[in-house]
Each structure stands twice: as C-alpha cells, then as structure tokens.
Amino acid sequence: MNRRGFLKGAGAAAGIAMAPQVAVGQTPVPVEGTTPVKPGSDFMVEVIRSLGIEYCAANPGSSFRGIHESLLNYAGNKMPELLTCLHEESSVAMAHGYSKIEGKPMMVMVHGTVGLQHASMAIYNAWCDRVPVYIIAGNILDVNYRRGNAEWVHSVQDCAAMVRDYTKWDDNPVSLSHFAESAVRAYKISMTPPYEPVLIVADGKLQEEPIEEKNLRIPKLVMTAPPQGDTAAVKEAARMLVAAENPVIVAGRMARSQHGMELLVELAEFLQARVQDQRLRMNFPTAHPLYGNPGTLPLNPNVTDADVLLALEAQDLWNFTHRMTPLNRFGMESQSTLKPGAKVITVSAVDLSHKSNYQDFGRYIEADLAITGDAEATLPALIEEVKRALTADRRRAIQDRGRKVVEANNESRKRHREQAAVGWNSSPISTARLSAEIWAQVKNEDWSLVSWDRMLSSWPTRLWDFSKHYQFIGTHGGSGIGYGLPAAVGASIANKKHGRLSINIQTDGDLCYAPGALWTAAHHQIPMLNIMHNNRAYHEERMYIALLGAKYDRSPETSDIGTALKGPNIDYASIAKGFGLYAEGPIENPNDLAPAIRRGIERVKKGEPVLIDVITQPR
Amino acid sequence: MRRIILFTLASALWAQSPNAKNGQRLFEIKACYQCHGWQGQGGLAGPRLAQTKLNLQGFVAILRNPPPSQMPPYRATVLTDAEAADLFAFIQSIPAPPPVDTIPLLKN
C-alpha cells in the first residue's frame, strides 16, 4: 500500500475527523516529490560524528528514525556503530558499562516518551555512579507533524523533564544550528567531572525535513580541564596528613584512569597510609601491601583507627563514620565512630553538581577541610605538598606505621584464605571456590572483571590480583537491578578492541530483568565469559524480611516467599542458548568448574559470548 | 540384651544426626546464612561460626541477646531452645576445612 492509500484506509476505518482546513470526506493530499536531497538528520549525525563516539545503543523507535536512517545510509554505520538492544534500560546500562572501561560516553537513542521511561532507571544508575552517557531522545514537537496516534502518544512537550533530576544537562533544540551547539555542549558537560549523563532532544521535523539553514557549522569541541582543589586548601590537607599518627585514605569514585590509580599509590606510599577502597572504581591495586582489609563491607570500611581521614570521592561517608541503630532494633540513634578529635578531609567534584529531589548525595558531612575538586586532578598537587611537608622525623615515623599496615594486610590475607577453605568441596558451590576457580583460569590472560563482586562476598577482590584500571568496573551506582548483564556487555564491547578477556560473574536475579542483552552480545559477537552466580533468590531482600520477622517476634521462616527464585528453577543455560550463545550448566559439583571454564574461555577467545550456569551458595 | 544396648546406642547416634540436619535446615530458613555464610564460614556482615569455640549455653545466650550489631535477637517465640540446640549441632557438625596449604588454588 502506498502512503496515500495507507492514510485513506486508516482514516476511513477509524472514522478519524480530518483537519479543519480539509473538508470532510476529502483525503489530505500529501505533498508530492518531497524526498529531500539531504535531511536534517544527516547534519545531526555529522555533529555526533564530530564527537568521536564509537557506538550507539538503541532499541529502534520511530521518533528517531531519521537519525537511525542517517547513521546507516549517510554515515555507513560507523562512528558510531549501532548496537541492537532489546530494552532501553539495557541500552543505557550498556553505555554505563562501556564508559567504565573506555572513560568516555557511548551514545544511546530512545523514544522521547516510552523509551525514555524504560531507560530512566538506568539513567539514574549512571547519574549516581557519575558516569557519562550521551542520550538522544526522539520527539515530535510540532503537532502538524504527528502522523497518527502512535506519534501523539510518543510526543511530549518537555521530554527531558522526566529525567532532569538525574541528568546533568539537557536541551530541546529548535534548529539544526541549535542542535549542533547543544550537542557539542552536552558532550563537554557530560565529560567534565563529575561525569554525568546528558540528554539532547532530536525533534522529528528537524530530523526529517530538508536542511534549509544556511552556513551550518559544527562548533569545535573543547574539553574542560577537570576542576582541581584550591591550592591553599591542598597545602593544608598535606600538612594535616603528614602530621597525622594514623591517616587513612578512603577511595570511592576516585580513579578515572590508570593514571589516577598510580597517583593514589604514590600518595599512599609517601604517607604509608592504608587505603580503604570502596570498590566503586578500580582505585588501588588489591595486592598492594597498603590495601585495606577487603574482608569487611567495602562500602562501609572500618576507619575507627584513623586520626585523619582523607575521603577521595567517597560514597556515603557519614554512614561509615557513624553507628546507627540497626534494623533489628526500634528507634534511631546514631553516634560517630571516629576517634575523638579525628579530622576529616574530603575531596570531591560531586559538590559541584547537586540536585534536590533524589537523595543520592547522602548525609551532610561535617568535614574539617572540604575541598571541592576532582580527586584525580587534585592528587598531583597534594602529592607535591606532602613531599614538601615530609621532614626526616616524620619519614621515620611513617615507615614504622607502614610496617604495621603491611602486617595487618598479611594477616587479613591469611584469614581470607582460611575462610575460603570452609565448604571448599560443598554443593551448592561456595562463592569463594567459584572465585578461586575462575581466577586459576584467567590469571595468565589479559582479563577484565566486568561485574561487581559484592554479591560474592567480594571474593574476587580478596583472592585475585587486580592491578589495572580496566580490570574492574565497580558498581551500578543507584542499586537499580537489571544493570549487571547489559553493563557487562557494554564493558566487554569496550574490551573487545583491546583483545581483553571479559568475565562477567552474573547474578541470577539481575539477569532476569532483561536477558535480551545476551542476544545483543551474540548478535554483535561480543566475546565475554558469563558465569552465573545462581543462588536462586533475592537474598538481600530475603534477609530483611527474616530480620523483621525476628524483630517483631513473628517468623523469619516465611522470608523466602516473594524472594526465592525456585519452583520452577530457572534454566539459564537454556535461556542463553535460546539467545544464540554457547552455554553449559547448571554445574553443581565444584570439580566440574575448571574444565567448563576452560571450554568457555576457548570459545570466548574465538570471539563469542558464552554462559556457564553455576549453582552457588547465597553469598 | 546386648542387642538392645546396641540398638539404643545406634538410635542415640541416629537421633543426633537428624538434629544437625534439622539445624542445617533452620540455618537456612531462619536466614542465619545471610550474614554468617551458608556453612558458617563468615560473610561480609557476620563472623565465622564454623569451628566455634562457644558452648551451647554461650551460643543460646548470644541468640537471645546478641551484642548490639546487625545480628537480630531471636527470642524463644521465633526460635525455641530445641531449635537452638539443633542449630548448634549443625554448626558443630561443619567439618574443619582442609589446611589451606593442601588446596593448590588457595596457595599464595
């Protein structure tokens, strides 16, 4: 059916009232010969190409069909290359994971309404995790251009409103030159620490009508030098750190790059200070003797022994410097756990970009010295000032302190190994055994763990030797589940061109949100080894229910209702096969792990994604 | 007579192992594993219980009135003395792990 016929048919069948200028019974006549020589979307794509974006993740949507078509037929599906996604939440999470490895944004296209609604949780995660994502939302602002119901329900007056609370900047350009300026500005804003998601609306009419504007040009992208802490404040911080008896460094979202890690090592070594890594970024080599005990909750490190606490882009600092009434008791009291007189220094760029509605900023910190600035950018000056402040006396004292930190570190490593041995041969397989088995197979490869490891009681952090920035991608930021699998796919895409072996230890509950990301991995031949941590429940939530049951003197025993993923058990190998992956499992005998992982790695090395289902202990 | 004695002995032994088995079941359904690990190996939120040095009395005392921490108090209404004894039996039945040095993957 041609377009005219389609309109006639649709109008007649639905009895649609025609526009007032058209007499009833008459069919609106489409303007003939409108095929543009060059649609606006070609220019938009040209602008996007100027930003050096490698990939565009999208689930197709009619409101951005113009850009989609231009990406393919004008730009040849290169820079950016389209990644076919099966859910907008996965598109954004893929961009999130990609950025963790590559340090720059992936583009994501979404419908201005339903697509953005789907994407919004993942955008919130990226916001909380201070990660750049470059979002283009399609929309049709001009009522005259909305062809039928689908385009009315997919149109919105203020598209970005829905996610404005957790994007750094957005715009709704009304001309192509406006688009060019805002698109370049958005990239720059997104990539100025704190990195955060941005959104530009691509109007349908601008995309699909011919380019009429004269003298169109693309503004030059000038990246901002990251904000560095005030010189006098940095000097004071150095003085406090050098004078301290036991300074402790907490690293949150600190290292943006390998260089950031190296700077932190340098600072820690000069001070011989313990580093408590919250594992939100790859901040500090886990085998370094100054690495703080990872056997405790990394997000809430024990810093009660510090007399000066240096918090570098730390998350929820208040929470781990205070004790609160636990959930199992009534009421709420809190008190500081810091030593009396202990001083707190904070360095963070997040202070530069706060919003009000969502509460991810955490509790107000009564710091003794608060430095606004990106920690990685501030470290070189801090290191210089520390070097300057170090007298011979202080150097001696510092060496003694260092020896104690190293001893404590050795002791905790020994304890971890002993703990890992408990239940070594048991089934369900212990998370320590699973982690050790994977490590044995990957340690001689150029590997990258593209998942968080807190759900495995941080066993990889405790047993593996993480030394490179790309070897760990931290976490989701906003605890929005459904992030894990697509973020792993995105990170693996980034690792692919470097030839790295990507390993995703995948929790079962997370995979069930949007398993379609497996298909994206198969379709685009993304090499990655997915190993299921299949513990058949949302155990964290189960714990809360059990806890409350005990607290109210009722029953902790009902806690699996609404939390367990049993009856029927979910067969992840079959799911993965259905999406076109090579898959094995479920594996219940720990002795079967090593050969299965080896077989998996062989295939991954040939360039395909693989999934191995493993039945594991809960934590 | 001899037979009867043997039988009594056997049933006493038999009666002990179901306790530990029931204790294992309780360790799951009362959600102790959440913080202490599936086999009491200790987790991010709770200490190791395997190879505990506590006796039954000390164990029950902690269940009823734990030190202020994430550990909830379990009163007799939600965990009877008999159940506590089963839990203790389970914890005691957790085999000592092999020495770390005998596990190649855990050698440094």
Side-chain angles (χ1 to χ4, degrees):
Chain A
M1 196 184 282
N2 65 26
R3 185 167 167 277
R4 189 190 294 218
F6 173 77
L7 279 176
K8 207 196 251 168
I16 295 169
M18 297 302 173
Q21 72 270 31
V22 181
V24 177
Q26 236 181 305
T27 308
V29 181
V31 183
E32 299 291 354
T34 51
T35 311
V37 176
K38 219 170 177 299
S41 52
D42 284 2
F43 176 71
M44 290 172 158
V45 165
E46 205 55 71
V47 173
I48 291 160
R49 281 160 65 88
S50 79
L51 304 173
I53 294 174
E54 286 184 296
Y55 295 101
C56 171
N59 179 255
S62 57
S63 57
F64 55 82
R65 62 196 168 208
I67 296 184
H68 188 154
E69 195 273 344
S70 290
L71 282 174
L72 304 181
N73 295 329
Y74 174 74
N77 197 23
K78 282 202 199 81
M79 294 297 284
E81 177 190 341
L82 264 167
L83 300 170
T84 314
C85 298
L86 307 192
H87 196 301
E88 290 86 349
E89 188 179 285
S90 304
S91 307
V92 176
M94 270 169 58
H96 188 161
Y98 167 88
S99 158
K100 286 288 195 61
I101 295 288
E102 208 56 25
K104 66 181 205 176
M106 184 187 274
M107 172 179 163
V108 172
M109 286 194 295
V110 293
H111 259 317
T113 57
V114 288
L116 191 55
Q117 286 161 0
H118 263 164
S120 66
M121 185 214 76
I123 298 172
Y124 182 61
N125 270 343
W127 162 268
C128 294
D129 201 21
R130 310 297 163 196
V131 159
V133 179
Y134 194 83
I135 305 160
I136 299 281
N139 187 41
I140 302 174
L141 202 56
D142 186 340
V143 292
N144 295 304
Y145 278 76
R146 296 176 193 164
R147 298 171 172 93
N149 180 62
E151 295 190 351
W152 277 92
V153 295
H154 286 161
S155 293
V156 53
Q157 188 190 54
D158 180 3
C159 176
M162 187 185 352
V163 294
R164 190 162 290 138
D165 277 325
Y166 40 92
T167 41
K168 197 174 187 185
W169 193 72
D170 67 84
D171 199 16
N172 194 357
V174 296
S175 68
L176 289 175
S177 54
H178 185 175
F179 180 89
E181 185 164 329
S182 292
V184 173
R185 189 197 302 269
Y187 190 96
K188 176 178 170 177
I189 290 174
S190 184
M191 284 297 288
T192 301
Y195 296 165
E196 276 153 13
V198 290
L199 184 146
I200 295 295
V201 182
D203 180 56
K205 183 174 152 192
L206 274 187
Q207 291 179 59
E208 293 172 20
E209 288 297 306
I211 298 171
E212 282 172 356
E213 284 174 61
K214 299 279 176 276
N215 303 323
L216 277 177
R217 59 180 289 275
I218 302 170
K220 184 168 79 173
L221 173 66
V222 183
M223 301 301 288
T224 324
Q228 187 186 320
D230 172 74
T231 308
V234 168
K235 194 169 181 164
E236 174 60 9
R239 192 196 60 74
M240 290 164 74
L241 287 165
V242 169
E245 284 312 308
N246 191 31
V248 173
I249 302 172
V250 175
R253 298 189 164 82
M254 200 242 92
R256 290 182 280 103
S257 65
Q258 181 71 24
H259 181 56
M261 270 182 79
E262 286 158 10
L263 288 170
L264 186 55
V265 169
E266 206 180 333
L267 178 69
E269 287 179 356
F270 272 121
L271 292 168
Q272 289 294 300
R274 187 172 92 235
V275 174
Q276 290 291 165
D277 184 1
Q278 291 189 294
R279 296 297 270 161
L280 299 167
R281 294 287 187 276
M282 187 57 223
N283 290 311
F284 200 74
T286 56
H288 194 286
L290 293 172
Y291 195 82
N293 181 2
T296 52
L297 278 172
L299 292 177
N300 298 315
N302 185 344
V303 291
T304 49
D305 57 339
D307 64 343
V308 172
L309 186 65
L310 174 65
L312 302 171
E313 308 286 356
Q315 174 181 285
D316 205 4
L317 179 56
W318 193 91
N319 192 28
F320 64 81
T321 51
H322 289 77
R323 184 179 298 121
M324 295 169 78
T325 302
L327 182 60
N328 56 50
R329 307 289 201 285
F330 291 98
M332 178 51 70
E333 280 173 12
S334 59
Q335 69 188 79
S336 171
T337 52
L338 290 177
K339 270 195 192 163
K343 299 271 185 274
V344 175
I345 305 168
T346 58
V347 183
S348 176
V350 173
D351 286 346
L352 295 165
S353 174
H354 275 314
K355 302 220 178 177
S356 320
N357 194 13
Y358 289 80
Q359 305 285 302
D360 63 293
F361 38 77
R363 229 169 150 173
Y364 176 75
I365 300 300
E366 293 177 62
D368 296 278
L369 181 60
I371 301 178
T372 292
D374 174 63
E376 182 170 322
T378 304
L379 278 192
L382 183 58
I383 291 167
E384 279 316 303
E385 290 299 341
V386 164
K387 278 202 260 184
R388 213 165 290 164
L390 271 174
T391 58
D393 262 8
R394 289 313 296 151
R395 269 181 217 275
R396 257 192 310 281
I398 283 171
Q399 290 313 322
D400 283 348
R401 168 169 78 219
R403 269 190 286 280
K404 285 196 197 110
V405 177
V406 174
E407 273 165 33
N409 179 296
N410 287 339
E411 195 46 45
S412 76
R413 273 172 209 290
K414 200 169 140 243
R415 243 194 349 266
H416 296 157
R417 283 165 200 281
E418 285 165 4
Q419 196 185 345
V422 181
W424 186 252
N425 291 314
S426 61
S427 176
I429 296 170
S430 78
T431 50
R433 174 82 187 255
L434 176 65
S435 305
E437 292 285 354
I438 300 172
W439 176 236
Q441 302 306 324
V442 305
K443 64 183 179 189
N444 295 324
E445 309 283 344
D446 186 17
W447 58 273
S448 167
L449 180 65
V450 290
S451 51
W452 199 33
D453 66 349
R454 156 90 161 72
M455 294 303 169
L456 296 99
S457 298
S458 301
W459 278 113
T461 299
R462 296 200 246 175
L463 297 176
W464 302 14
D465 176 3
F466 292 81
S467 61
K468 305 209 169 69
H469 191 258
Y470 61 77
Q471 283 174 335
F472 188 64
I473 69 163
T475 176
H476 34 58
S479 290
I481 311 301
Y483 154 92
L485 176 65
V489 173
S492 304
I493 289 170
N495 279 331
K496 183 178 173 176
K497 69 166 179 277
H498 303 288
R500 297 174 193 143
L501 174 63
S502 298
I503 308 132
N504 171 33
I505 306 178
Q506 174 65 46
T507 52
D508 52 340
D510 178 276
L511 183 135
C512 289
Y513 276 76
L518 288 173
W519 181 86
T520 302
H523 178 69
H524 292 283
Q525 287 292 289
I526 315 296
M528 64 187 301
L529 180 62
N530 298 283
I531 298 187
M532 292 302 299
H533 170 22
N534 182 3
N535 59 16
R536 295 182 172 155
Y538 293 102
H539 284 284
E540 179 101 7
E541 287 61 36
R542 185 176 175 187
M543 178 185 70
Y544 290 133
I545 308 298
L547 240 163
L548 291 180
K551 175 177 175 175
Y552 305 149
D553 260 343
R554 297 201 285 230
S555 172
E557 295 178 19
T558 51
S559 63
D560 64 334
I561 301 174
T563 54
L565 298 172
K566 289 179 180 169
N569 290 331
I570 301 170
D571 180 354
Y572 294 97
S574 291
I575 291 175
K577 284 177 194 161
F579 282 119
L581 274 75
Y582 173 80
E584 290 193 24
I587 292 177
E588 302 193 45
N589 180 345
N591 296 326
D592 294 340
L593 277 175
I597 296 170
R598 272 197 294 272
R599 284 191 294 276
I601 290 176
E602 244 168 65
R603 290 201 169 240
V604 173
K605 282 188 172 170
K606 287 186 192 138
E608 38 173 316
V610 166
L611 182 139
I612 299 172
D613 186 11
V614 183
I615 308 303
T616 48
Q617 294 181 12
R619 306 279 196 154
Chain B
M1 187 64 190
R2 213 167 137 220
R3 226 183 216 170
I4 292 172
I5 291 175
L6 267 181
F7 177 77
T8 322
L9 206 81
S11 66
L13 284 174
W14 186 79
Q16 214 178 10
S17 65
N19 280 357
K21 254 210 137 33
N22 190 43
Q24 180 168 25
R25 190 184 69 90
L26 293 168
F27 201 75
E28 183 195 348
I29 64 174
K30 307 278 181 187
C32 315
Y33 73 89
Q34 291 284 2
C35 303
H36 294 292
W38 193 248
Q39 280 162 315
Q41 62 264 61
L44 295 182
R48 175 168 167 176
L49 301 180
Q51 288 80 53
T52 180
K53 293 195 174 68
L54 291 166
N55 60 19
L56 176 62
Q57 213 180 359
F59 176 80
V60 178
I62 285 179
L63 287 186
R64 301 287 182 235
N65 195 13
S69 68
Q70 295 303 320
M71 165 101 180
Y74 293 89
R75 283 172 281 267
T77 31
V78 297
L79 195 109
T80 63
D81 283 348
E83 287 178 321
D86 286 358
L87 275 167
F88 188 66
F90 163 61
I91 288 165
Q92 286 200 309
S93 76
I94 298 167
V100 171
D101 284 348
T102 63
I103 302 175
L105 296 191
L106 290 180
K107 274 193 193 155
N108 245 335

